Amino acid sequence: MSDTPRFITYREYKKIPPNDLIDRLLRNQDFYLAYEISNYLKLNVKKVYQSLAIAQMKSMGEGCSRQEELDMYARIEKKLANVPNISYIKLAKKAFKYGKQEMGIKFLENEKSILTKIPQYIELKKWPKALELAYQTYDTNVLTTVIDKIMKNESVEEFNRIVGKDPKINSCVIDYLKKNYPNELESYLNAKN
């Protein structure tokens, strides 16, 4: 016996608010019907497409190859191409949760908001990309935050190697080290020659 009731009559279906009906259809993975009803009622179909994409990620299972992930990403992206306001960051997080690293990176690259991407790259410890995006914000607070995360997660030598590669952030790194780690400033400058 199921915990969720099955609807029997048309009258019972009529009593359900449209958004609840869509949610129930998505829970049952009836994406086509959810799409058709959303489209007919002129509701936003974004939720249906996101749920479909997440279900397809989950269906891949463990141990799929890099190419299989990229192929599935291409199929999902083709479906999402004309859907406005898709949250690629949500899809990226789900992909990482299900162990689909390649797919997650691709979704992350599609996200339009730089400030939304930076924390995810920090979590992945993709420091050069996080620094590049932080620099693109033209906000020294964001850049300093990324530099601080690198310093707290890496050794001093690795920190110097990572931040020393990008000459655009040099003055920000020096200011950060002066304020927070004055003893490490000399090692950074020596690493930079």
Side-chain angles (χ1 to χ4, degrees):
M1 187 163 169
S2 174
D3 291 341
T4 57
R6 306 235 349 130
F7 302 109
I8 299 168
T9 66
Y10 175 71
R11 189 176 301 160
E12 288 175 315
Y13 273 114
K14 274 182 72 171
K15 288 181 182 178
I16 300 173
N19 286 329
D20 289 350
L21 178 60
I22 301 301
D23 288 343
R24 288 177 191 211
L25 289 169
L26 292 177
R27 238 180 288 132
N28 292 327
Q29 295 194 354
D30 193 346
F31 302 109
Y32 179 75
L33 186 56
Y35 171 80
E36 289 296 323
I37 291 172
S38 296
N39 204 26
Y40 177 75
L41 296 174
K42 298 191 179 7
L43 299 173
N44 192 346
V45 295
K46 173 181 85 168
K47 185 177 190 179
V48 176
Y49 278 101
Q50 283 181 320
S51 296
L52 174 62
I54 291 166
Q56 288 178 330
M57 278 183 243
K58 284 171 82 171
S59 73
M60 290 182 72
E62 302 275 328
C64 53
S65 71
R66 179 182 189 275
Q67 191 56 50
E68 288 172 325
E69 278 188 48
L70 293 175
D71 290 344
M72 177 61 82
Y73 166 78
R75 288 192 300 273
I76 292 171
E77 177 55 27
K78 186 176 179 182
K79 291 175 186 170
L80 300 178
N82 296 322
V83 181
N85 302 322
I86 285 290
S87 174
Y88 284 103
I89 196 74
K90 180 179 179 180
L91 295 176
K93 286 179 180 180
K94 289 291 186 179
F96 293 132
K97 178 182 175 184
Y98 299 129
K100 311 294 182 253
Q101 297 299 315
E102 295 296 325
M103 195 180 292
I105 293 293
K106 289 289 196 181
F107 282 127
L108 196 54
E109 289 170 357
N110 279 341
E111 178 61 41
K112 289 174 178 62
S113 169
I114 291 175
L115 290 175
T116 305
K117 289 184 192 185
I118 292 172
Q120 196 63 44
Y121 279 114
I122 288 172
E123 192 174 312
L124 295 170
K125 295 188 177 184
K126 299 228 180 252
W127 305 122
K129 189 66 175 175
L131 285 169
E132 175 189 327
L133 293 172
Y135 183 77
Q136 289 176 14
T137 65
Y138 301 108
D139 185 344
T140 55
N141 292 327
V142 174
L143 187 55
T144 302
T145 302
V146 174
I147 292 168
D148 183 58
K149 292 288 185 185
I150 298 170
M151 184 62 153
K152 290 179 177 171
N153 284 286
E154 301 293 342
S155 67
V156 174
E157 295 79 23
E158 188 65 13
F159 171 85
N160 290 338
R161 188 188 67 72
I162 293 166
V163 297
K165 287 181 178 178
D166 194 346
K168 299 179 292 203
I169 64 169
N170 194 38
S171 62
C172 193
V173 173
I174 290 171
D175 289 343
Y176 169 78
L177 290 173
K178 277 182 188 175
K179 289 178 189 170
N180 301 295
Y181 298 93
N183 297 337
E184 303 301 338
L185 180 59
E186 189 174 333
S187 71
Y188 172 72
L189 294 173
N190 286 338
K192 291 282 288 182
N193 294 328

